Amino acid sequence: MPAAVVIVGVLAGCAQVDAQAGAGAGAGAGAGAVDEAAFAAAGPWSTEFAESAVEASQYQRRVLSDGVISAQELAEAQSRTRVCMRNFGYDYVSAEDGTSEASPLPGRKAADAEAVNEVMSKCASRFSSEVTYLFNEIRRNPEKQDEVEITVACLREAGLVDASYTERRWRAENEDGTFSFSEWDAAAVQCRLDPLGLWRAQ
């Protein structure tokens, strides 16, 4: 049986900090700017909605247009991606952490990871990439608080680091890609996915 190919999407926490660090570098560089005021309902996330709408597919722009992404809209977007993947001969499963897994349907010859990634990118860009990213980020940090601050606070509360562990140290470890705590510990995963404890069962 061919092994499933795991595709890692945009994750919360580290990826969001990196995105914030680079914010502004490409602002307004798209083919056409979108008025941020049109996404006022998104509150502190209105800039991200406007930026995503510039490059998003027509379907995703419709979902983003009111500045709100409901759980039903997310499910529909991912369902469309799933159908798209099946049309290319792959089963597709999305997880709560933003990752997804694709594997050949029965009777289909397994393709290499690069080929699967290409198909997944095509389907996700049509239906779910921006929708999934924004939904997950807003769910875990609705007020768009400082990512490093809330992550370090969560790690301290979980007992993974002590009070001497600073936000500067977290940034340095994140940049280096090596943390002084086990980043796959259940509590560390919780802090990465849901640092404020808003939605994920612990």
Side-chain angles (χ1 to χ4, degrees), residues 10-77:
V10 179
L11 296 180
C14 300
Q16 178 60 21
V17 172
D18 292 341
Q20 287 182 348
V34 176
D35 184 6
E36 185 177 325
F39 302 97
W45 289 95
S46 59
T47 297
E48 284 73 14
F49 267 73
E51 291 175 349
S52 291
V54 172
E55 301 295 339
S57 65
Q58 183 177 2
Y59 172 78
Q60 292 194 88
R61 282 199 298 272
R62 286 201 304 269
V63 176
L64 302 179
S65 63
D66 62 355
V68 177
I69 303 171
S70 68
Q72 182 177 353
E73 288 174 321
L74 173 69
E76 174 65 20

Side-chain angles (χ1 to χ4, degrees), residues 66-112:
D66 62 355
V68 177
I69 303 171
S70 68
Q72 182 177 353
E73 288 174 321
L74 173 69
E76 174 65 20
Q78 293 183 339
S79 176
R80 288 172 180 253
T81 300
R82 190 175 306 112
V83 170
C84 179
M85 290 292 291
R86 290 187 70 86
N87 288 340
F88 280 101
Y90 298 97
D91 189 28
Y92 168 86
V93 178
S94 55
E96 65 174 9
D97 63 358
T99 62
S100 50
E101 182 178 288
S103 57
L105 291 171
R108 178 185 174 86
K109 184 179 179 180
D112 59 56

